[in-house]
Amino acid sequence: MDRHERRQAWEALSTAYAERRNPDGSDADLIDDLLAALPSEPLVLDLGCGDGARTLANLPPGSIGLDFARRGLSLAAETVPDSRLLQGEMSHLPVATDAVDGITAYHAVFHVPRDRHPELYREFARVLKPGGTLLMTLSSGRFQTVRRGWMGGEMFFSAPGRESTLNQLHEAGFEDLRTETATDPLGSSSEFVFGDLEESS
C-alpha cells in the first residue's frame, strides 16, 4: 500500500476500530508510568491517536492528538474535547522542535513501511525536549504485509524486528530503553518500550 492507500484504509476503518477495541487494559496503565517520568503539567503528543479513547483520554488536558485520518480525528474530537488535534504524518510532524515533554505511539509505527522507521524516530527526537520520554509499541516480528479482511477491510503492517527497532531508537538518540508487556486494545498482548531522549551536551 502506498501512503494514499494507507490513509484511505484508515478513513474507512477508523469507526470499526474504535467500536471493536476495548478502551481499558494494562497498556493504558503504562501511561501512568510515562506521566510519572515527566515534569508536572507536561505537554504530551499522542501519535496515531484515532478516536482517542485508549491513550489521548488518559493524558493531561490539552495534550496533542495526531492522526492522518480525518475520521479518526472527528471521533477524537467527541471523545476527548479538551485535546488539541492535528492531521498529519509521523514522518513530518506539524510540531515545533523541542516542543513536547512526552510522546505516545500505540500501534502506530507498524503502519508505516519499515525502511522509513528510522526517519520517524529521528522526527520523534526532533519534537521531544531533551530528556523527554517516548512510549511506543514494540513489534516482536519482522514483516511487511497487507492483511485482507482486517476489521472488515484491509490494512498495511510492517516492522523490521524487535532488535532492529531497539537499535534504530538508540541511533535516533533514545537512551535507557526499557520494555513492558501489556494487553492491547483487541484482547491479546504486546510489548511496549520506554525511551528517554538523550540530554543535550
Side-chain angles (χ1 to χ4, degrees), residues 3-190:
R3 180 173 61 88
H4 175 73
E5 290 169 329
R6 295 196 306 275
R7 186 194 302 270
Q8 290 302 111
W10 272 115
E11 294 290 1
L13 297 177
S14 289
T15 299
Y17 186 65
E19 290 173 347
R20 295 188 193 184
R21 68 180 187 165
N22 180 354
D24 302 313
S26 57
D27 67 349
D29 295 340
L30 294 177
I31 292 174
D32 292 336
D33 298 329
L34 170 68
L35 295 177
L38 301 182
S40 59
E41 300 183 6
L43 179 59
V44 182
L45 172 62
D46 182 26
L47 300 176
C49 68
D51 69 307
R54 190 73 173 190
T55 47
L56 192 57
N58 295 305
L59 294 172
S63 293
I64 303 168
L66 179 136
D67 205 283
F68 74 164
R70 289 186 180 275
R71 181 55 184 155
L73 294 171
S74 176
L75 294 168
E78 299 174 6
T79 306
V80 196
D82 58 2
S83 62
R84 290 181 276 173
L85 301 174
L86 298 173
Q87 185 177 22
E89 299 187 31
M90 290 182 286
S91 57
H92 301 286
L93 295 172
V95 177
T97 298
D98 298 343
V100 302
D101 300 290
I103 291 176
T104 53
Y106 275 37
H107 310 284
V109 172
F110 58 42
H111 294 299
V112 176
R114 61 194 180 199
D115 62 353
R116 299 192 62 195
H117 290 189
E119 84 180 80
L120 301 188
Y121 303 142
R122 290 192 295 270
E123 185 70 348
F124 298 176
R126 180 187 68 79
V127 303
L128 265 178
K129 296 176 183 176
T133 302
L134 166 69
L135 168 58
M136 61 169 264
T137 310
L138 176 60
S139 297
S140 59
R142 186 177 188 276
F143 50 84
Q144 184 150 298
T145 186
V146 175
R147 295 184 186 172
R148 314 288 178 186
W150 192 81
M151 294 285 162
E154 59 182 36
M155 183 55 63
F156 177 83
F157 294 85
S158 182
R162 183 181 188 277
E163 292 307 314
S164 291
T165 297
L166 293 173
N167 288 337
Q168 290 169 6
L169 287 168
H170 181 73
E171 290 169 1
F174 291 95
E175 306 175 314
D176 190 24
L177 299 174
R178 54 212 182 271
T179 64
E180 296 280 349
T181 298
T183 56
D184 70 21
L186 301 177
S188 58
S189 63
S190 297

